Amino acid sequence: MKRQVPLVLVLLFGLFMIFQYFVPHESSEWVYEFLLDWIYIIGIFALALGIWSLYVVSVDKVKTRKHDWGYSYVTLAGLFGMILFGFTARHGDEWGWYLIFVACVLLTVIMSVQAMAARINKGLPLGLAGLFLLGAVLIAVFDDTWSFYFYTQEGLQSTMFRAFFDYIMMPILATIFSLLAFFIASAAYRAFRARNLLASLLLIAALIVMMRFFPYFGENVGEFIARVSSWLMNVPNLAAQRAIIIGVGLGIVATALKVILGIERGYMGKG
Amino acid sequence: MSRTAVIVFAGVVALFVVSWMVKAMVLADVSETNIVDAFMVTVAAFLTLAIYSFLYKDNPYYKFAEHLFVGVSAAFWMVQGFWTTIVGNLLPRLSEGLATWFQQPYQGGGYDLGVFVFPYSIMYWIPVILGSLLLMRLSPQGGWLSRWPLALIVGTTAGLNFVRYLRSDFIVQVAATFVPLFGRDPHPWQGFGHFFSNLDLSASGQFVALLSNWVIFIGVFCGLIYFFFSKEHTGAFGKASRVGIWILMITFGASFGYTVMGRISLLVGRLTFLFRDWLGLIS
Amino acid sequence: MRFLFGLTVILALLLGASVSAQTEPPVTDSVADSVEVPAIPPPAPVTDLKALDTDDDHGHSVTLTWTKSVDAQTGQNTVNGHQIFRWYPAMMDSLAGVDSLKNMRQDIQRAQSANSVFRRALGVAEDALEDLTSGGRGFDALRFTVATPQDDSTFVLDRAFVEQALRDTVATMTTHLPLLPDSIKGLQASFEAAIERLTEAHQAYPEGGSWNLVGLAAKGDTSFVNSGNKDPMSGDFIKDFTDLYYRVDVVTIDETIRTESAIVGPVQSEGQWFNGGRFPVFWAVIIFGFLTMYFVSRARKGDDLYVRPLAGIEAVDDAIGRATEMGRPILYVLGLGTAADVATIASFTVLGRVAKQVAEYQTELIVPTYDPIVMSVAQEVVKSSYLDAGRPDDYKENTVFFVTNLQFAYVAAVNGIMLRELPATNIYMGKFFAESLLLAETGALAGSIQIAGTDEIAQIPFFIVACDYTLIGEELYAASAYLGREPILLGSLKAQDWAKAAVIVLGIVGLVAANLEWGFAKTFLEYFHVTN
C-alpha cells in the first residue's frame, strides 16, 4: 500500500499524459488543463512545508548554539515581520502604534525561541514573551490607525510590505546578481591558466568572442574578429548545442520513461 | 567582539545616521515623507554595500544581509502565494460561500456531460486534499501519504516531458541536421572545377556556406559519439569522440565569452544606484 | 464628493444596464452591391471554395480552401485581398445573433467586477461614516479631494454635507449590492441558454441572420483557418456540431468594389481523437519505449552491459573519502529545478548514492534546497539511504532543509554555508541558471573539490571553468543510472546509445536524401516533419 499506490499513480498519470498528447479532443484537453492547475495548487501548499523547515532549522541553530546562531534571529524577524506586513495595513497616513505593535510581535517570537533554547532560567524569556504578547494584543485592540486583513488583499499593498520589497529584497537581489560581474572576472582568470588542450580551446574561443567588444583593433582586424566570432556563435556552437540537446533529450526521455514504468524510483525513498 | 569590530560597527552606524540625515535634507524639497524615504534609501544602500563586502571576505554585515534576505524572501513568496493563488484563484472556485467571504467573484460552472453537469468545484477540491496530504509529512505516522501528491506531480510531468522532449530535442533536431553539403539554391553545385575557379571567400559566399554545413554535420555526429556510454572510446571511434569534445569546448568558450559582456552591465546598473540614487553624485 | 456622486451614478447605470435588455439595430454588412459605376472593374470571384472541419485539433475551427480568382496576381491583377464572412443567425427576436452574446458576456464581466469594486467601496464608506460619527477620526483626516469649480464661486464642504453623502452612499449600496449577485446569475443563465440554442438557431439559415466578417487573407492566399474559441465566455466562440456557412469575397483596393464567392455550407466543426500530425512522435514513442524495455529486460536477466567509466562519476566516490579524511562535510546542491524536472529526478538518484556512502563513512552531509517539494523528496531519499547503510539512527532531520524560494537569496545562503562550514566537497547536480557561477566560484575560492552536472547548456561553461569535474548534459543522466548501481537502470543507457546510433544512420540517409533529389528523398524528409 505504502509503495504500490504511488507507483500505480505515477504509471497512470504518466501514461495519461503521453496519451493525451496524441488526442487533441476537448475532453483530453480539459483533464490536461486541470492536472496542470493541480500541480500548481499543490505547490502552494508545499510552501508551508518550506516555511516550517526554515523555522525549525533556525530555532534549532539557536538551541544548539551552532556558530552564528544569533543571525537566525534576523531570519526569523524577517520571516515573521514580512508575514505580518502581508496581513495588516494602515488606514491612512498616520502611523499610530503600528511599528510598536510589529516590534512587540517580533520580540514575542524571539523571546519564545529564546525560552525554548534556554536550558536554565526559562522563566525570564518566557515572562518577557508574555509581556510583549500582551502589549501586542492591547495595541491590536485599542489602536485603530491600522487593522488586520484576513480576507482581502490590502496587505499586499500596505506601505511596509511594499517598502520591504522595494528597499530590502530588490536591492539585495540586484546586488547579488551584479556580483556575477566580479565572479566572472575571477572565473576568466581561472580559465586563463589553461592546463590542457581542452581548456586552451575554451579559452581561445572565449577570447575571440570577447575581443569583438574591444574597440582597439582598427577597422579591418575588428571586422575580421567580429566575423569569426559570429561564425563561432552560429556554426560550431549550433553543432555542439544540437549534439548536447539530442543527448539531453534522450536522457530526459529515458529517465521519464523509467520513472513512469517504475524502474527509476530513487526519488521516492524506500521506507 | 573585538575592539576593531566595535569601532567598525560604530563607524557604520555613524555613517548610516549621517547618510540618513543628509538624504532627508536633500529630499525635503521633493517629498513630504522625506524622513522615511531617506531612511529606506539608506537601508537599501547599506544592504548593497553589505553584500559587496562579501567580495573581501565573509563578515557580520554580509551575514546580516544574507539572513534578512532569506527570511524576507521566504515570507514574501508565502504571502504572495496565499493572496494571489489561494485567495485569488483557488477559493473562488471551491464554493460560493468561500468566494463571498473573501469578497471574490465566484467562478463556478460545470462541464456538461449530457447526463448531468459535472461541477468544476470538485476538480479543485482534489488538489486541496492532495495538498493537505503533502503536509502529512510533518506527522510521524502519516508521512507515507505525502507520496501520493508527489506521485501525481512526478507522473504527470514525466509523461509530459517524455513526449515533449522526444519531439523538440530529438525529432526536430534530427530533421534540422539534414543540411545540403553540396550546393543548393542560391548556389547550385556545378562541379569541383567551377567551385574552385570561382572560390568566393566572403561571408555570404558558397565556400563559407558549405564549410559551415560541413562543420555542423561533423560537429553533430562527433558530439553524439562523445556521448556514447556503452562503447569504449578507442580507435576511430575514440578519435571522433575527441573531435566531439573539442567542438564542445569551443562552444563553451564562445558562450562563456559572450556572457561575460552581459554580466558587466549588471554591475553598471548597481553602481548607478549607489552613485545616483543614494549619493547623488551623478545625474 | 465627485467620487461619491460618480459612484452613485455608475451604480445606477450599471444596474440599469445589466437588468434591462439592450436593443441594438441589427448589424448590416458593408457589402456594397449597389455601387453604380465602378472605376475598377469587379474582379472574378474565387472558385472551388471548400469548407472542412480543421483536422487534428480540438474542434471549434473550420478550414476554408479555394482557387485564386483569375484576377489575383494574373489577369487584370486587381485583387487586393480576401475577406472571409460567416453567417450569424438572428437568435433572439430583436437581436442580431452573436452580437447579443458578446454584449451579454461583457455585461456579466462588468457586473462581476462591479460586484467586488462595490463591496470594497461600501467597506470604505461605512468605515468613514463610523469614524465621522463616533469622532474616531477628525473631519480633516477623511481627506477628500475637492475640486474647486472653475468659476471661482465658493464651494463649502461642510461636515453635515459629507455625513449626509456618506449616509446616502451606504444606503444606496446596501440596498443594491445584494441584487448584484442575482443579476449576475440571471445574466449567466440567459447566456448559457442562448449558447444552448445556438445550434438550433443556425438551422434557420438563410432566414434572418447576417453575414459577418471573420477574417482577412492576403491576395496570394488560397486557404484560411477560422479558428474559434472553445470557451463561450471568451471572444469568438464557434460551437461544435453546428451548421456553419461561409463566403469569401475578393476585394480590390477600393473595398467597395468586390465580388462574392458562392456560399459553402453547412459545415460542422468537431474535435478529433487522434492527432495525425504527430505521427513521427508516435512512432518514436513506440520505438524508444520498445528499445528501453528490451534492454531493461536483458539487464534484468543478468546480461553484462558495459558502460565506459566517466571521470566525474568516479570523482564522487573519491570526494566522499577525501571529506571523511579531512573531517569536513559534503555539500550537495540540487539546483533550482522542481521535483518534476527530470534533471532533478536524476539528481535524487545521485544524492541517494552519495548519502549512502556518507552514512557508511559517517561524514556530515548538508543539502540546502530551493523548492519545498524537492526538500521533502530529498529528505525521503537521504533517510532511506541511511537506512540502507544500516545507520538509521545517524540520520538527522535537518540534513536536508529549505532555504527560500528566491534564486539569489538561495545563492546568498549557500555561499554563506560554503564559507562557514568549509565543506570538503561541493556537488551540484540538477537544473542551474545564472547562479551557477556564483556558487561554483565561491566554492572554488573556499578550496573545496567541486563536481557539477547539469543539462542547462548555457551554464555548463561556468561549471567547466570553476569545477574540478563537470558532467556535461546527458552525462548527468548517465551518472544517475551508473551511480544507482542497479543493472536495470543501465539498460536504458544502452537504449539511449541505440537511439543516438539511429540518429547518425538516419542523419546520413537524410543527408543523402537532402542532397540528391531522389523521389524517395522527399517522402523520407516528410517522416520527420511534425505538424501541429
Side-chain angles (χ1 to χ4, degrees):
Chain A
M1 183 72 172
K2 286 186 184 180
R3 304 246 323 134
Q4 264 63 39
V5 174
L7 287 177
V8 169
L9 285 178
V10 168
L11 181 72
L12 280 181
F13 284 106
L15 287 183
F16 171 78
M17 288 311 265
I18 297 176
F19 183 69
Q20 71 80 28
Y21 181 79
F22 299 104
V23 180
H25 198 267
E26 214 174 326
S27 46
S28 105
E29 228 175 35
W30 188 70
V31 182
Y32 166 81
E33 279 160 15
F34 268 117
L35 277 177
L36 293 193
D37 274 359
W38 289 8
I39 291 177
Y40 193 68
I41 293 167
I42 295 173
I44 294 291
F45 275 81
L47 265 183
L49 275 185
I51 299 282
W52 176 251
S53 162
L54 184 61
Y55 172 77
V56 168
V57 169
S58 299
V59 171
D60 206 56
K61 261 194 194 162
V62 176
K63 267 191 197 163
T64 53
R65 291 281 188 266
K66 216 172 162 184
H67 58 88
D68 293 330
W69 58 272
Y71 293 99
S72 293
Y73 284 134
V74 179
T75 303
L76 288 175
L79 180 70
F80 282 94
M82 195 68 171
I83 292 178
L84 203 59
F85 294 142
F87 290 90
T88 53
R90 293 179 301 138
H91 296 303
D93 286 337
E94 275 176 80
W95 283 95
W97 291 67
Y98 183 58
L99 291 178
I100 301 173
F101 164 77
V102 173
C104 279
V105 173
L106 295 185
L107 284 168
T108 310
V109 172
I110 289 171
M111 282 305 144
S112 38
V113 172
Q114 192 71 25
M116 271 190 263
R119 292 192 187 84
I120 45 165
N121 269 343
K122 276 179 190 282
L124 181 67
L126 216 54
L128 282 173
L131 210 62
F132 286 126
L133 187 63
L134 184 69
V137 171
L138 284 178
I139 296 175
V141 171
F142 290 107
D143 185 16
D144 50 7
T145 52
W146 59 274
S147 44
F148 280 104
Y149 288 91
F150 284 118
Y151 45 78
T152 54
Q153 310 195 4
E154 262 74 4
L156 283 188
Q157 302 306 326
S158 76
T159 333
M160 288 308 285
F161 191 80
R162 294 232 61 89
F164 261 55
F165 180 77
D166 290 339
Y167 294 103
I168 292 182
M169 259 179 78
M170 284 334 261
I172 301 184
L173 192 149
T175 311
I176 294 180
F177 202 11
S178 77
L179 282 182
L180 273 172
F182 294 101
F183 279 73
I184 209 159
S186 82
Y189 170 71
R190 211 179 292 284
F192 271 112
R193 298 174 306 168
R195 288 149 299 191
N196 53 37
L197 174 66
L198 292 183
S200 318
L201 278 175
L202 189 144
L203 173 66
I204 293 166
L207 276 180
I208 292 174
V209 174
M210 265 155 43
M211 278 197 293
R212 173 195 202 171
F213 297 95
F214 298 151
Y216 314 117
F217 292 109
E219 213 166 285
N220 286 335
V221 182
E223 166 77 3
F224 178 73
I225 290 174
R227 262 171 52 190
V228 171
S229 78
S230 72
W231 185 81
L232 274 180
M233 292 304 290
N234 290 330
V235 178
N237 188 30
L238 180 79
Q241 290 233 10
R242 193 168 286 155
I244 299 176
I245 289 176
I246 292 177
V248 165
L250 285 174
I252 290 179
V253 166
T255 311
L257 190 63
K258 282 188 284 182
V259 167
I260 296 172
L261 297 177
I263 297 167
E264 163 99 58
R265 45 178 92 170
Y267 66 93
M268 212 166 258
K270 295 202 176 82
Chain B
M1 246 203 277
S2 73
R3 230 178 94 187
T4 343
V6 173
I7 295 171
V8 171
F9 181 69
V12 170
V13 172
L15 264 178
F16 185 92
V17 173
V18 170
S19 158
W20 182 9
M21 282 161 57
V22 172
K23 197 77 203 169
M25 279 189 275
V26 172
L27 287 179
D29 303 337
V30 286
S31 154
E32 274 179 38
T33 54
N34 59 328
I35 296 177
V36 180
D37 290 352
F39 180 78
M40 286 330 252
V41 171
T42 311
V43 166
F46 272 72
L47 287 174
T48 301
L49 292 177
I51 296 289
Y52 277 142
S53 71
F54 178 74
L55 289 170
Y56 171 57
K57 66 172 193 186
D58 192 23
N59 63 71
Y61 303 100
Y62 175 76
K63 285 180 199 168
F64 177 83
E66 172 211 315
H67 282 85
L68 183 67
F69 191 26
V70 167
V72 168
S73 62
F76 176 79
W77 285 119
M78 207 204 89
V79 172
Q80 191 84 13
F82 178 81
W83 286 124
T84 53
T85 310
I86 296 193
V87 173
N89 283 309
L90 177 61
L91 294 177
R93 292 170 211 269
L94 285 179
S95 82
E96 202 167 353
L98 275 172
T100 319
W101 174 255
F102 282 95
Q103 303 189 4
Q104 299 284 331
Y106 176 55
Q107 299 177 25
Y111 189 79
D112 197 350
L113 292 173
V115 194
F116 73 107
V117 177
F118 187 83
Y120 282 149
S121 58
I122 291 181
M123 297 300 276
Y124 286 100
W125 278 107
I126 296 172
V128 170
I129 294 166
L130 287 172
S132 319
L133 285 184
L134 195 68
L135 297 183
M136 294 294 282
R137 283 199 66 76
L138 297 176
S139 97
Q141 279 86 39
W144 57 278
L145 278 172
S146 71
R147 285 187 194 147
W148 293 17
L150 209 69
L152 172 108
I153 295 178
V154 171
T156 308
T157 45
L160 194 62
N161 285 333
F162 181 65
V163 276
R164 200 181 267 174
Y165 283 97
L166 204 53
R167 175 185 179 161
S168 70
D169 282 19
F170 188 72
I171 295 175
V172 172
Q173 298 297 332
V174 172
T177 315
F178 303 152
V179 284
L181 291 184
F182 299 102
R184 264 290 187 71
D185 292 335
H187 305 291
W189 183 249
Q190 292 168 333
F192 284 99
H194 182 267
F195 179 74
F196 283 109
S197 58
N198 293 289
L199 200 56
D200 178 3
L201 288 176
S202 74
S204 57
Q206 188 176 15
F207 177 75
V208 174
L210 287 189
L211 178 75
S212 302
N213 281 353
W214 277 95
V215 170
I216 290 177
F217 171 69
I218 293 171
V220 171
F221 293 124
C222 292
L224 279 178
I225 285 173
Y226 171 76
F227 285 117
F228 262 83
F229 298 109
S230 59
K231 191 163 163 42
E232 259 178 293
H233 288 185
T234 48
F237 199 73
K239 288 211 177 75
S241 138
R242 284 303 286 169
V243 175
I245 187 73
W246 290 347
I247 290 183
L248 288 182
M249 282 298 162
I250 291 174
T251 299
F252 295 145
S255 95
F256 183 86
Y258 196 74
T259 321
V260 169
M261 302 330 267
R263 298 301 187 225
I264 303 289
S265 64
L266 294 170
L267 180 64
V268 173
R270 223 41 224 153
L271 294 180
T272 313
F273 165 76
L274 283 182
F275 289 113
R276 189 186 62 196
D277 298 355
W278 179 44
L279 296 175
L281 291 179
I282 49 174
S283 53
Chain C
M1 277 320 300
R2 280 207 180 157
F3 165 70
L4 295 176
F5 289 135
L7 206 64
T8 323
V9 172
I10 293 169
L11 182 85
L13 276 177
L14 261 166
L15 282 176
S18 55
V19 174
S20 69
Q22 290 110 1
T23 37
E24 278 181 21
V27 174
T28 50
D29 62 37
S30 54
V31 184
D33 37 14
S34 58
V35 173
E36 291 185 7
V37 191
I40 313 167
V46 301
T47 47
D48 272 346
L49 179 62
K50 287 193 189 77
L52 287 169
D53 169 45
T54 311
D55 209 11
D56 299 337
D57 73 343
H58 66 178
H60 311 289
S61 170
V62 170
T63 304
L64 302 173
T65 50
W66 60 82
T67 310
K68 269 189 291 187
S69 152
V70 287
D71 293 327
Q73 296 167 327
T74 50
Q76 302 177 47
N77 197 10
T78 47
V79 174
N80 192 39
H82 300 91
Q83 291 187 347
I84 290 88
F85 286 86
R86 195 173 85 220
W87 185 78
Y88 284 13
M91 274 184 359
M92 277 143 278
D93 305 332
S94 60
L95 303 176
V98 177
D99 268 349
S100 76
L101 283 179
K102 270 188 203 151
N103 290 335
M104 277 161 93
R105 200 179 67 232
Q106 278 167 9
D107 287 343
I108 295 172
Q109 280 158 356
R110 215 179 292 146
Q112 271 173 344
S113 68
N115 193 21
S116 58
V117 169
F118 281 10
R119 264 178 210 287
R120 249 167 236 179
L122 178 61
V124 173
E126 275 174 346
D127 282 354
L129 185 61
E130 197 196 315
D131 285 346
L132 201 61
T133 45
S134 68
R137 267 192 289 176
F139 176 58
D140 300 332
L142 280 173
R143 278 183 169 268
F144 285 111
T145 322
V146 182
T148 323
Q150 300 277 317
D151 58 356
D152 283 347
S153 61
T154 12
F155 185 77
V156 187
L157 180 67
D158 67 339
R159 194 191 162 107
F161 184 83
V162 173
E163 221 176 290
Q164 188 53 47
L166 279 172
R167 206 161 271 140
D168 288 350
T169 311
V170 171
T172 326
M173 282 188 165
T174 32
T175 17
H176 287 290
L177 206 48
L179 302 177
L180 257 174
D182 285 341
S183 70
I184 296 173
K185 261 188 215 159
L187 279 169
Q188 194 102 38
S190 52
F191 181 78
E192 275 158 22
I195 293 289
E196 195 70 11
R197 280 168 47 201
L198 206 53
T199 309
E200 197 187 318
H202 271 88
Q203 281 159 3
Y205 176 85
E207 294 301 313
S210 60
W211 286 93
N212 280 31
L213 183 67
V214 289
L216 303 170
K219 61 179 160 186
D221 288 355
T222 55
S223 69
F224 177 82
V225 180
N226 182 212
S227 200
N229 212 307
K230 67 172 176 172
D231 179 9
M233 279 297 278
S234 59
D236 184 26
F237 170 67
I238 294 183
K239 199 174 182 193
D240 279 347
F241 302 111
T242 298
D243 294 341
L244 304 171
Y245 298 86
Y246 286 92
R247 191 187 84 201
V248 177
D249 289 9
V250 279
V251 289
T252 58
I253 294 196
D254 179 0
E255 286 210 1
T256 54
I257 300 166
R258 55 170 67 228
T259 313
E260 294 177 10
S261 72
I263 291 160
V264 286
V267 55
Q268 295 191 340
S269 67
E270 61 178 298
Q272 276 72 45
W273 289 98
F274 186 81
N275 189 336
R278 290 180 176 174
F279 254 117
V281 186
F282 182 74
W283 294 124
V285 167
I286 304 264
I287 294 168
F288 194 78
F290 173 76
L291 267 180
T292 308
M293 296 224 250
Y294 170 71
F295 283 108
V296 165
S297 75
R298 263 189 57 187
R300 220 174 237 149
K301 278 186 209 138
D303 274 16
D304 185 30
L305 301 174
Y306 171 82
V307 175
R308 80 175 159 93
L310 280 171
I313 296 174
E314 290 176 349
V316 171
D317 286 355
D318 297 343
I320 298 169
R322 180 173 176 264
T324 318
E325 276 167 30
M326 297 171 76
R328 297 218 304 235
I330 289 175
L331 177 73
Y332 194 102
V333 181
L334 284 150
L336 298 196
T338 62
D341 279 312
V342 184
T344 315
I345 293 181
S347 182
F348 285 138
T349 314
V350 180
L351 173 64
R353 169 75 183 167
V354 170
K356 194 173 163 204
Q357 272 193 311
V358 161
E360 279 162 5
Y361 291 139
Q362 291 181 295
T363 314
E364 200 195 332
L365 180 67
I366 307 173
V367 190
T369 57
Y370 167 84
D371 180 287
I373 298 184
V374 169
M375 174 196 75
S376 352
V377 178
Q379 280 174 344
E380 199 77 23
V381 168
V382 173
K383 201 174 174 180
S384 47
S385 296
Y386 272 77
L387 204 70
D388 277 358
R391 297 183 192 275
D393 297 338
D394 288 352
Y395 171 70
K396 289 197 275 305
E397 196 64 38
N398 289 347
T399 303
V400 183
F401 56 93
F402 173 75
V403 180
T404 176
N405 220 340
L406 187 71
Q407 185 184 18
F408 288 106
Y410 178 73
V411 174
V414 176
N415 278 354
I417 293 171
M418 281 183 204
L419 292 184
R420 282 159 224 150
E421 312 279 343
L422 292 173
T425 306
N426 302 329
I427 303 178
Y428 313 99
M429 301 261 174
K431 270 218 155 353
F432 290 86
F433 301 96
E435 75 286 354
S436 63
L437 181 66
L438 289 173
L439 295 172
E441 266 300 307
T442 310
L445 292 174
S448 313
I449 290 275
Q450 304 203 90
I451 304 166
T454 185
D455 61 356
E456 278 296 316
I457 298 176
Q459 305 309 325
I460 297 173
F462 304 119
F463 280 138
I464 289 186
V465 168
C467 294
D468 302 270
Y469 300 96
T470 307
L471 298 171
I472 301 167
E474 197 184 358
E475 290 179 335
L476 168 66
Y477 298 100
S480 112
Y482 195 85
L483 283 173
R485 289 290 150 91
E486 281 179 50
I488 51 168
L489 289 180
L490 291 178
S492 73
L493 271 188
K494 201 85 182 162
Q496 276 162 256
D497 277 1
W498 271 88
K500 270 171 285 187
V503 172
I504 294 179
V505 173
L506 287 176
I508 292 168
V509 176
L511 213 72
V512 173
N515 284 290
L516 307 174
E517 287 164 15
W518 294 342
F520 120 95
K522 223 174 149 199
T523 18
F524 179 80
L525 297 183
E526 285 280 297
Y527 289 140
F528 292 86
H529 186 55
V530 186
T531 54
N532 200 345

Short mmCIF file of all heavy atoms in Angstrom, two decimals, chain C residues 2 86 151 195 256 398 437 458 476 511:
data_model
loop_
_atom_site.label_atom_id
_atom_site.label_comp_id
_atom_site.label_asym_id
_atom_site.label_seq_id
_atom_site.Cartn_x
_atom_site.Cartn_y
_atom_site.Cartn_z
N ARG C 2 -16.99 64.31 -5.75
CA ARG C 2 -17.21 63.82 -7.12
C ARG C 2 -17.20 62.31 -7.14
O ARG C 2 -17.95 61.69 -7.86
CB ARG C 2 -16.12 64.33 -8.03
CG ARG C 2 -16.37 65.74 -8.43
CD ARG C 2 -15.72 66.00 -9.75
NE ARG C 2 -15.99 67.37 -10.11
CZ ARG C 2 -15.23 68.05 -10.94
NH1 ARG C 2 -14.17 67.48 -11.47
NH2 ARG C 2 -15.54 69.27 -11.24
N ARG C 86 -18.79 34.84 -42.32
CA ARG C 86 -19.56 33.68 -41.81
C ARG C 86 -20.97 34.16 -41.49
O ARG C 86 -21.15 35.29 -41.06
CB ARG C 86 -18.89 33.12 -40.55
CG ARG C 86 -19.41 31.75 -40.19
CD ARG C 86 -18.63 31.14 -39.04
NE ARG C 86 -19.15 31.58 -37.76
CZ ARG C 86 -18.38 31.89 -36.73
NH1 ARG C 86 -17.07 31.87 -36.83
NH2 ARG C 86 -18.92 32.25 -35.60
N ASP C 151 -15.47 78.51 -11.91
CA ASP C 151 -15.91 79.89 -11.87
C ASP C 151 -15.61 80.61 -10.55
O ASP C 151 -16.16 81.67 -10.26
CB ASP C 151 -17.41 79.98 -12.18
CG ASP C 151 -18.19 79.13 -11.17
OD1 ASP C 151 -17.54 78.47 -10.33
OD2 ASP C 151 -19.42 79.14 -11.23
N ILE C 195 -26.44 30.08 -25.57
CA ILE C 195 -25.43 29.20 -26.16
C ILE C 195 -26.05 27.86 -26.52
O ILE C 195 -25.79 27.28 -27.58
CB ILE C 195 -24.25 29.00 -25.18
CG1 ILE C 195 -23.49 30.29 -24.97
CG2 ILE C 195 -23.33 27.89 -25.63
CD1 ILE C 195 -22.69 30.75 -26.15
N THR C 256 -15.08 48.89 -51.78
CA THR C 256 -16.49 48.77 -52.18
C THR C 256 -16.62 47.95 -53.45
O THR C 256 -17.69 47.48 -53.78
CB THR C 256 -17.11 50.15 -52.40
OG1 THR C 256 -16.29 50.86 -53.33
CG2 THR C 256 -17.20 50.93 -51.11
N ASN C 398 17.48 17.59 9.99
CA ASN C 398 17.89 18.86 9.40
C ASN C 398 19.03 18.75 8.39
O ASN C 398 19.59 19.76 8.00
CB ASN C 398 18.29 19.84 10.50
CG ASN C 398 17.07 20.29 11.27
OD1 ASN C 398 15.95 20.08 10.83
ND2 ASN C 398 17.30 20.91 12.42
N LEU C 437 27.48 30.22 -11.63
CA LEU C 437 28.82 30.76 -11.50
C LEU C 437 29.07 31.27 -10.09
O LEU C 437 30.15 31.08 -9.53
CB LEU C 437 29.02 31.90 -12.51
CG LEU C 437 30.40 32.52 -12.47
CD1 LEU C 437 31.45 31.53 -12.91
CD2 LEU C 437 30.46 33.75 -13.35
N ALA C 458 23.57 26.55 -21.22
CA ALA C 458 24.18 27.87 -21.01
C ALA C 458 25.04 27.90 -19.76
O ALA C 458 25.93 28.74 -19.64
CB ALA C 458 23.09 28.92 -20.91
N LEU C 476 24.90 13.63 -17.01
CA LEU C 476 24.18 13.68 -15.74
C LEU C 476 23.22 12.50 -15.62
O LEU C 476 23.14 11.85 -14.58
CB LEU C 476 23.40 15.00 -15.62
CG LEU C 476 22.38 15.10 -14.49
CD1 LEU C 476 23.07 15.08 -13.13
CD2 LEU C 476 21.58 16.37 -14.62
N LEU C 511 20.83 13.01 -45.11
CA LEU C 511 21.74 13.90 -45.80
C LEU C 511 21.80 13.56 -47.28
O LEU C 511 21.75 14.44 -48.14
CB LEU C 511 23.12 13.68 -45.19
CG LEU C 511 23.98 14.89 -45.15
CD1 LEU C 511 23.46 15.84 -44.12
CD2 LEU C 511 25.38 14.47 -44.82
#
